[in-house]
Amino acid sequence: MKIISESLKINKTLRNLRYSSSFRGKRLPIAGRDRNGVASTIIDALKHNNTLESLNLQSNGLDENHAKLLGEALKINTGLVSLNLHANVLRSEGIKALCEGLCENRALANLRISYNHFDQEGAMHLASMLQVNSYLENLDISWNQLGTIGAGFISQSLKVNQTLVKLNLSGNFLFSTSSFLFSAF
């Protein structure tokens, strides 16, 4: 797997990379499933490759440890515009690490972190990041467990953020009081 990382570190033509795992067509988000280390080597290469614009790592069982690596890579990567992490298991701690990187990132415009098992704590980290990040335009946080409190955090960040144009909150256990939080927008 090291050969993949080494190749990506020097490649100047690849713009789009998809590496997603599945089991007979079904997504199985199991923490730490990246047993052969392919996703980890791809993440490591992001520290050196600024020509890759789109990365899809959905359904790889990426967890908090992978998110820490990604957060570090995003602090210095200036080329990645779109990142799909759908159906992994980042949880709130992973979202925190990812957001730390996004606070410094100056390129990522599209982020899909739907179905990643994070709650209002993860939403709080996202809200803090949205208050300082002026590059992210599309954010998909659907099918997590934000709840009304998490939605409140996101709602407050939208009062400050002026770049986000698309937000997907579907399937987050929002109730009628949540719609009140977003009524000012």
Side-chain angles (χ1 to χ4, degrees):
M1 297 310 109
K2 186 176 180 181
I3 194 164
I4 293 172
S5 178
E6 295 304 316
S7 297
L8 284 173
K9 286 177 183 178
I10 60 173
N11 183 284
K12 301 296 180 210
T13 57
L14 187 66
R15 300 285 186 256
N16 190 327
L17 177 60
R18 178 179 178 155
Y19 177 73
S20 65
S21 298
S22 64
F23 182 75
R24 296 182 188 177
K26 295 181 181 177
R27 286 171 278 144
L28 298 174
I30 302 167
R33 188 176 63 212
D34 182 29
R35 290 188 188 110
N36 58 10
V38 174
S40 297
T41 61
I42 293 170
I43 293 167
D44 181 59
L46 285 177
K47 294 177 183 175
H48 308 280
N49 181 315
N50 286 310
T51 55
L52 189 64
E53 296 173 356
S54 177
L55 178 59
N56 182 338
L57 293 174
Q58 82 177 39
S59 304
N60 276 297
L62 303 184
D63 58 19
E64 298 94 338
N65 296 319
H66 293 96
K68 288 176 185 172
L69 295 173
L70 256 173
E72 289 301 313
L74 288 172
K75 287 179 183 179
I76 56 178
N77 183 284
T78 59
L80 195 66
V81 177
S82 182
L83 179 60
N84 183 349
L85 299 173
H86 169 75
N88 283 291
V89 281
L90 300 181
R91 299 185 183 98
S92 292
E93 192 62 32
I95 296 301
K96 176 183 179 185
L98 194 62
C99 286
E100 288 171 0
L102 288 170
C103 283
E104 297 182 34
N105 183 274
R106 302 290 178 253
L108 197 72
N110 304 295
L111 177 62
R112 184 177 184 202
I113 48 176
S114 52
Y115 193 56
N116 263 285
H117 310 280
F118 63 90
D119 57 16
Q120 63 193 30
E121 181 184 342
M124 179 182 67
H125 297 300
L126 281 168
S128 295
M129 177 272 298
L130 286 170
Q131 291 180 9
V132 297
N133 182 296
S134 60
Y135 294 87
L136 196 62
E137 297 175 0
N138 300 304
L139 178 61
D140 183 349
I141 54 175
S142 61
W143 301 104
N144 287 290
Q145 297 96 32
L146 303 186
T148 304
I149 294 171
F153 291 139
I154 300 296
S155 173
Q156 291 301 310
S157 71
L158 295 178
K159 293 178 180 177
V160 176
N161 183 289
Q162 298 297 306
T163 56
L164 197 67
V165 294
K166 184 177 178 185
L167 175 64
N168 187 349
L169 290 167
S170 302
N172 269 296
F173 306 107
L174 305 181
F175 304 102
S176 60
T177 55
S178 301
S179 61
F180 172 74
L181 296 171
F182 290 95
S183 64
F185 300 100

